[in-house]
Amino acid sequence: MTEPTYIRSSAVVSRLIAGETLVVPVRGKVGDLASIYSFNEVGTTIWEALAKPTSVNTLTDLIVGEYEVSREQAAQDVENFLQEIRTAELVLAVEVHGSDVSHRTELREIA
């Protein structure tokens, strides 16, 4: 079984403002201003990594490397963050087909 992999939804826009990332879902070609999400520094680090398909383990490694936190705490925080932003439809869980993500890959959303 492959490790869960996530990527940002194409139905959102985001901007980094004063160290925080603001994310706005786009519904019917219009930004849903009633659903603006704001990410702190750690959330912004994860969001930036999700510009390409990224596994939970890779995200956890990134947080452990950037911040003073145990691997266990980082893993829990990453899982919680991903669950919240997936519920808000800001990211997609995908299957990556291809041996190297930097080369041509096929992404397929999974339920």
Side-chain angles (χ1 to χ4, degrees), residues 4-111:
T5 302
Y6 296 88
I7 191 168
R8 294 182 200 171
S9 169
S10 61
V12 299
V13 293
S14 63
R15 296 290 180 267
L16 181 62
I17 300 173
E20 290 188 354
T21 296
L22 299 179
V23 179
V24 179
V26 177
R27 304 189 201 304
K29 298 184 182 181
V30 177
D32 182 359
L33 299 180
S35 299
I36 296 176
Y37 298 88
S38 175
F39 302 153
N40 64 14
E41 184 179 348
V42 176
T44 294
T45 299
I46 295 170
W47 185 253
E48 289 174 354
L50 291 168
K52 62 181 183 195
T54 308
S55 70
V56 173
N57 278 333
T58 299
L59 292 171
T60 301
D61 291 342
L62 177 64
I63 297 306
V64 169
E66 292 285 323
Y67 303 95
E68 292 184 27
V69 63
S70 70
R71 180 159 185 77
E72 295 77 22
Q73 185 63 55
Q76 172 130 17
D77 291 348
V78 166
E79 288 282 354
N80 290 341
F81 183 75
L82 287 171
Q83 181 178 0
E84 287 182 33
I85 64 176
R86 187 172 181 199
T87 299
E89 299 178 353
L90 305 181
V91 296
L92 305 172
V94 295
E95 290 180 354
V96 178
H97 299 279
S99 59
D100 185 352
V101 174
S102 66
H103 291 87
R104 185 168 183 247
T105 59
E106 177 185 331
L107 299 178
R108 185 175 58 118
E109 183 177 0
I110 57 176

